[in-house]
Amino acid sequence: MKSLFETETQQIILNRIQNLNETSQPNWGKMNVAQMLTHCQKPLEVANGTLELNTKIGFAKKLLFKLFKSAMYNDKPWQKNLGTVREFIVTDAQEFTIQKEKLIQDINEFSQLKEKTSWPTHPFFGDFTTEQWGKMQYKHLDHHLTQFGV
């Protein structure tokens, strides 16, 4: 699995983002391109420590999420139209250029953290290693860029 901590992979992701425009249409899902760019910032903000999710889940759900934890960073692509946490859902209008620039900034900030050893605990999946964070962020971005055909 590729990682957003790999310079070449980071550049590929950034190039794919540059191939988006205001009229890019999704191959699946409900978000428009500007909403997708905003949505993709959220997991990076959690990892960067600038967004804290105050989601409380019960023991049974926490156990269930741990069973699927490796799906967040393994080589198997995510299914189309997967659900997302409430805090990551973007339904309001977004300004494409602003959100594109913000996502690029968040990616560049995250990519500088490859030596980091202390990460926030994910509210659903628990703790991830640095390697897992890098793979998970790549996988999420790849999923949504594929959604928009870039």
Side-chain angles (χ1 to χ4, degrees):
M1 170 58 60
K2 293 179 181 178
S3 170
L4 205 53
F5 290 132
E6 299 164 350
T7 304
E8 182 179 341
T9 300
Q10 175 192 1
Q11 192 57 55
I12 290 168
I13 289 291
L14 294 174
N15 290 343
R16 290 170 69 186
I17 291 169
Q18 291 299 338
N19 286 325
L20 293 168
N21 62 59
E22 290 184 40
T23 61
S24 296
Q25 295 296 311
N27 294 315
W28 72 84
K30 299 176 184 175
M31 293 184 287
N32 65 38
V33 67
Q35 290 169 331
M36 178 274 291
L37 292 168
T38 306
H39 166 81
C40 285
Q41 295 165 27
K42 305 299 183 188
L44 290 160
E45 291 170 354
V46 169
N48 289 344
T50 58
L51 175 63
E52 186 175 326
L53 302 179
N54 294 321
T55 305
K56 304 283 187 217
I57 61 171
F59 177 76
K61 272 193 175 180
K62 194 172 274 197
L63 190 60
L64 183 63
F65 279 115
K66 286 198 181 222
L67 292 173
F68 293 99
K69 181 177 178 176
S70 67
M72 297 298 289
Y73 54 82
N74 66 19
D75 289 331
K76 186 177 178 186
W78 289 340
Q79 295 176 354
K80 298 173 183 174
N81 296 311
L82 280 176
T84 191
V85 297
R86 182 174 8 112
E87 293 87 351
F88 292 179
I89 295 173
V90 180
T91 57
D92 54 331
Q94 301 292 318
E95 205 285 304
F96 174 81
T97 303
I98 291 171
Q99 298 310 321
K100 182 177 172 181
E101 290 172 7
K102 174 79 168 61
L103 178 58
I104 290 168
Q105 177 185 338
D106 287 346
I107 289 168
N108 288 333
E109 287 176 15
F110 176 81
S111 296
Q112 299 303 308
L113 302 175
K114 60 183 149 202
E115 303 300 323
K116 186 174 178 173
T117 57
S118 178
W119 294 90
T121 298
H122 193 283
F124 300 114
F125 296 100
D127 293 323
F128 288 101
T129 65
T130 300
E131 178 184 5
Q132 291 166 341
W133 274 109
K135 290 177 178 181
M136 180 171 58
Q137 297 299 337
Y138 166 78
K139 190 171 181 177
H140 184 245
L141 291 165
D142 177 63
H143 174 78
H144 286 292
L145 293 172
T146 300
Q147 176 187 14
F148 280 83
V150 296

